[in-house]
Structures are given as C-alpha cells and as structure tokens.
C-alpha cells in the first residue's frame, strides 16, 4: 500500500515498521518523523471481524474533518500531526506524519514490579509523574481534552514524557469515542452494565481521574481496582469487571491485595487520602500537583523498603524481626529457603550443574558461588540471563557475555523497542541481528562474521522479531504493517518453519512471553507425569476494545497449534498474569497469589486440573518458576525457595 504526504509517495514497507496498535500501524519515515496509518476494513488484522471492519471505516471517516481542524500550538510533549497522509487520489486522509520519539517505553511498564526490581527508583517514577502533570495541565489550557488517556499513550524517554495518539483528542465539536476500561471514569459509564462502557462525553475531570489511576499504578504497581474481590457474603459478589462501577477498590477489606504490588502504606497519608477520595468517594478536579512534588523517598536501612513517610511503615512499631526458618512445612508442601538477599535477583536457571543465578547486592553483580561478575547497579533497560558459568547482560543493541577467566565477548543484537533480543538454553545462546536469527556454535562450525562459531538459523524481520528457545525447539514471531509471521525452529539445525498459524488476539499487543515443555524427558515435578511431545506455551497480552485480554497458545514442535485459552488481566486466574509459568512432562504449572495450579491440554482445550493450596504462602503471580528433579524452585525478587509437594 502507498500513501502520499503532500506530493510525495510513501511506500509502506514492513521493514520500516516501528509499531502496531489496535487501530493503526506506525512506520519510520527515516527523517526524524513517524507515519501513522489507520487500518482499513480490509486489513488482515480484521479478517473475519465484521464489527472491527465497520469500526475501521467509521474511524477513517470521522477523521476527515477532525484532523484538518486539529488545534495548533499544543505543548511540545504532545506528539501531534505535522502533515496529513492521503490516499492516491490525494483527497481521503488515511493517517498523518508526526515527530518520532526514539528509545521510549510506555508508562505502562513503570507499573510493572520487574521494572522496580530492575533499578527503576520511586523518585524517578515521581519525577515522570510530575512532568506528566504539567503536560496535562498545559493541554487543558489549550481547551483540549485528552479523552482516552491511558498508560499506553504516554511514552517516557530519558525521563521526559510524551503524549501520543493525539488524533483521538477531544476538542470543539469532535468528541473522543474510544476508551480503556482501566482508565475510564466510572462517572461517565452506565452503572447498570456488567463492565465499564463509555456513555457520556469526556471532560478535563475525566483526564485527571485517569491521571490518578496512573499515579497509583506507577507508584504501587497496582491500579485502584486491582487484586481480587472475595466477599464473605455470596450476595455481595460482583464480576471483577464491574468493580469500578461499584467503587470496590483495593482499599476495600474484602479485596485481596496483589502480592507483587508495593504496599500502599509506603505513600504519605495525604496522597493516600487523595487517591481514596478519587476512587471511592468520586471526588474530581485537577489532581493536586503538590502531592507529587512533595514526595520525598527514602530507603529504610533496616528492612530496605523504599517509602515516602516520616518512618518506615514496615518497621514502625514492630519488634526486631526474628530469623526465619530455612525449612518449613505447610500442609502438603515442604519449603526450603535457598537464598535470601537484601539486593535483587536478576536471573536464574536450572541446568546440568544445578541452580544458577545472578544477584545484585551492594553495587556488585554476584553469581551463585558469590563470585563478582562486575560492579555497578542494574538499569531498567537491561536484560539478564545465566548460561552455565557465563553471565549475559544486554542493553540496547549491545549484549555482553562475561565468562570466568575469559575476556568479555561483545555481540551486536537487534532490539524491539528498547528490549535487546536474545535467549539461551542449556547448549547454546541465540540472538537476532540485522534480520537474522543466530545461534552460538562450536569453533569450526559454519561461522557468521563477527563471532567465532556463530551459526545463522534463518531470516527474520529486523527490529520486530520476538523469539524464545526451549530445550528442543524455539518459537518466534514478527508483526509489521499487513504482515504477521510466526515460526518454529529446531534448537540445533538451521532453518525456520514460518507457516505457524498463530491466533493473535485483536488490539494492541502489549506483552509476550513463552515457556517450553520438552515432553516426557523433562524432569519429574509435583503432579502426575504425562507423556507427550515438546510444546511451547506462548502467553500474549493485548489491549482490546478498551480492556486487557490475555491469551495462551500451545504450539507443538511441528508448528501446529494444539490449544488456545483466553482470560482477562488481573482476574486472579492462572491466566490473570503472564508471569509465574513453567512447563514440563506435558503440562503447565502457573503461580497465582492463591498458590500453584496445574493446567493440561485436554481435547484441544486448556483445563485447570489441580490446585496446590499448600504453596500459597510461598508464591505470587509474579514469581518465576523453575522445575527440576529436586522440586519446584520459586524465584522472587529477593528470595529463592525450593518446594517439594507430597
């Protein structure tokens, strides 16, 4: 497809794609600008979806007059249309060119516990929120309402904030008609429905409501309606999706606060009061900026908790902590603490040599034998892996492999956004570079220029490919413009099978992860072993029609899709989070805040077949699980625990 910017024809090349949303594709123009093109009704992403096709046509029609009337002189933080893109007849608007922001992360990531454990400080989060507050106020001063204000249309780059998707802004007679469930003001929704649905026009107040949601999500890693509502009375139960309409928040005593979230008592009382009044008592108006500016964060020297109160909320009034037992019995579970650290655990794996891990403590990166890999502190943009005695640290397009007694090995890798793309299994390392998937190999193998023994596995799309590798095979995909390709590959032999019919969820893909089951050769672990071939369990998250959906797709070694299951984010089920998963011997183990559950493929469906309630004290939905012959290893930010289930 070609579009026109003025008299210049622009070909939409998938290799220039830099983003794919639910409504549009984004391309790098190569001149410091990006091109946003709305998906047409015949876009492959809408195949067989009549409602989405009609919405696409209505969206394009709605913007014909709106973009021509777009208000000028908006704040610099707004990534506004700079030039309109038209079809070949030069009459119909199909998108627009805008300033390109490089090296940015969506604010969504600032609400992930892994970012906080990976070096993102609360003070840095507060600074970003203060800048966002100023941007919102400046937008309002121009008589514009953001409307569908959410943490995916706020980008952060170098500590600065940028508001994107400006074509959905509300101004003059042009109303914003899209919404995101987690951020839409319930006062604008019909309270009789089972979930929020925008039914009244946005206002500046609704923008400030969404800002308050971002404050809570970014500072505490949980939104106002996170957790799971478990009332004692059956008559009080409501669908999780209806909680915003009933104002059932995390402040409610019958809501189970998510374990991975930061306790809300780390915030000062006046900020907590403002959040309570907003979400429970429906107070509206501009969010008090002084509450953000006044945040003074400190780290407790006794327990390490980061807080913004006069005294540590975890230690105040408490007796000195007793030394915890290294081994405890809880019902059917024998739990043994393997590691406890005041630092943070950055990576862990199980291999022939046993449990390996990487920890950052007191400004040093340490391996399981306490050897120092290097000095420094983790950065949120870093990715880590342990591969036998080697330690892999990636940031941007650089991957460094640190091995005992050897000079550092430096490898250039592709990035998707700011994420360096690489993975490991027991035998090799894998990465993408310049549109090729590459595997490390033995010296003397067919070498790829740059690394001794590196073997090209196949061609992929540079800057857009995600992949993972298991014991026997790997799975990956790339999506750009009209192209969506998924593939499997043998872990040893070159070649990609790119005919996998992967059922992507609709909307904007926001996260993806994968775990592998090698089949009957996998080590035994709690639960009945079951023979079967190798499988990849792929987990995808997407913003779809205003809500967060999760999908699990089970793919066999030959690329066949064996089963699919859908869920909603933060619903308390095994699909409520993408984290906390491991697979072996034909089934999946998933950590939830209520304990570990087992999931199997049965008749083409994914079925929860067993619960292990005795594991509840030792896991959260954010725990990393590793399965080995000795038991199930639970890796949290500051502890590793081995579980044996009788």
């Amino acid at each position: 497809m070609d579009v026109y910017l003025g008299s210049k024809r622009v070909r939409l090349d998938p290799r220039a794609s830099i983003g794919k949303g639910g409504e549009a594709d984004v391309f790098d123009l190569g001149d410091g600008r990006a091109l946003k093109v709305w998906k047409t009704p015949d876009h492959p992403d809408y195949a067989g979806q009549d409602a989405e096709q009609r919405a696409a046509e209505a969206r394009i029609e709605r913007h014909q007059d709106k973009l021509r009337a777009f208000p000028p002189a908006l704040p610099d933080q707004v990534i506004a249309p700079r030039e309109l893109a038209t079809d070949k007849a030069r009459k119909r608007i199909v998108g627009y060119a805008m300033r390109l922001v490089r090296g940015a992360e969506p604010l969504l990531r600032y609400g992930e516990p892994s970012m906080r454990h990976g070096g993102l400080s609360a003070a840095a989060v507060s600074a970003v929120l203060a800048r966002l507050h100023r941007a919102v106020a400046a937008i309002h001063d121009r008589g514009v309402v953001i409307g569908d204000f959410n943490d995916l249309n706020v980008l952060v780059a170098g500590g600065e904030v940028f508001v994107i998707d400006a074509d959905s802004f509300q101004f003059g007679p042009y109303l914003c008609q899209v919404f995101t469930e987690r951020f839409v003001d319930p006062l604008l929704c019909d309270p009789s429905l089972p979930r929020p649905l925008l039914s009244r026009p946005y206002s500046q107040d609704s923008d400030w409501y969404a800002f308050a949601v971002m404050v809570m999500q970014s500072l505490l890693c949980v939104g106002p309606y996170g957790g799971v509502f478990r009332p004692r009375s059956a008559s009080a139960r409501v669908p999780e999706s209806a909680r915003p309409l009933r104002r059932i928040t995390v402040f409610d005593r019958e809501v189970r606060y998510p374990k991975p979230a930061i306790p809300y008592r780390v915030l000062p009382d006046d900020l907590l009061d403002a959040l309570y009044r907003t979400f429970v008592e429906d107070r509206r108006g501009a969010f008090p900026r002084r509450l953000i500016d006044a945040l003074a964060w400190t780290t407790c020297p006794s327990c390490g908790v980061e807080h913004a109160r006069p005294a540590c909320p975890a230690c105040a009034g408490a007796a000195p902590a007793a030394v915890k037992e290294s081994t405890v019995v809880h019902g059917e579970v024998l739990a043994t603490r393997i590691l406890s650290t005041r630092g943070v655990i950055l990576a862990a794996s199980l291999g022939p040599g046993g449990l390996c891990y990487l920890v950052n403590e007191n400004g040093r990166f340490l391996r399981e034998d306490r050897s120092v890999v290097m000095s420094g502190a983790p950065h949120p943009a870093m990715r880590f892996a342990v591969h036998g005695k080697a330690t892999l640290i990636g940031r941007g397009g650089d991957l460094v492999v640190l091995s005992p007694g050897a000079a550092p090995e430096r490898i250039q890798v592709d990035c998707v956004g700011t994420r360096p793309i690489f993975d490991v299994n027991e035998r090799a390392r894998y990465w993408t570079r310049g549109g090729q998937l590459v595997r490390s190999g033995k010296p003397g193998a067919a070498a790829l220029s740059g690394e001794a023994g590196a073997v090209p596995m196949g061609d992929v799309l540079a800057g857009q490919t995600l992949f993972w590798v298991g014991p026997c095979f790997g799975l990956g995909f790339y999506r750009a413009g009209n192209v969506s390709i998924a593939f499997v590959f043998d872990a040893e032999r070159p070649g990609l099978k790119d005919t996998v019919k992967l059922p992507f969820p609709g909307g904007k893909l926001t996260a993806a992860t994968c775990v592998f089951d090698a089949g009957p050769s996998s080590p035994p672990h709690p639960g009945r072993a079951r023979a079967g071939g190798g499988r990849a369990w792929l987990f995808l998250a997407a913003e779809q029609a205003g809500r967060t959906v999760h999908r699990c797709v089970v793919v066999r070694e030959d690329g066949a899709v064996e089963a699919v299951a859908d869920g909603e984010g933060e619903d308390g089920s095994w699909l409520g989070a993408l984290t906390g998963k491991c697979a072996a011997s034909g089934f999946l183990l998933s950590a939830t805040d209520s304990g570990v559950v087992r999931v199997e493929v049965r008749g083409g469906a994914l079925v929860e077949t067993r619960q292990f309630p005795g594991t509840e004290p030792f896991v959260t939905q954010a725990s990393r699980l590793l399965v080995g012959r000795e038991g199930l290893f639970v890796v949290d930010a500051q502890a590793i625990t081995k579980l044996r289930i009788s």
Side-chain angles (χ1 to χ4, degrees), residues 72-108:
L74 286 178
D76 288 342
Q77 296 96 329
V78 175
I79 306 302
R82 287 187 170 180
E83 187 175 8
L84 301 183
T86 59
D87 60 11
K88 63 182 179 180
R90 319 287 177 84
K91 293 182 179 180
R92 188 170 172 81
I93 298 172
V94 295
Y96 59 89
M98 56 188 172
R99 181 167 35 127
L100 175 59
V101 180
R102 297 189 184 277
E105 291 277 11
L107 187 63
L108 169 77

Side-chain angles (χ1 to χ4, degrees), residues 425-445:
N425 64 12
E426 288 183 5
R427 294 182 298 280
R429 305 188 289 269
Y430 305 76
W431 63 93
T432 59
R433 183 181 59 206
Q436 273 198 325
L437 176 63
V438 181
R439 173 179 62 82
S440 63
K442 298 178 181 179

Side-chain angles (χ1 to χ4, degrees), residues 164-186:
I164 63 172
D165 294 338
D167 51 288
S168 68
F169 280 10
Q170 180 171 292
F171 55 90
Y174 304 104
L175 300 181
C176 176
Q177 299 180 346
V178 292
F179 70 97
T180 302
E181 280 192 9
R182 292 184 297 123
F183 294 92
V184 66
D185 187 342

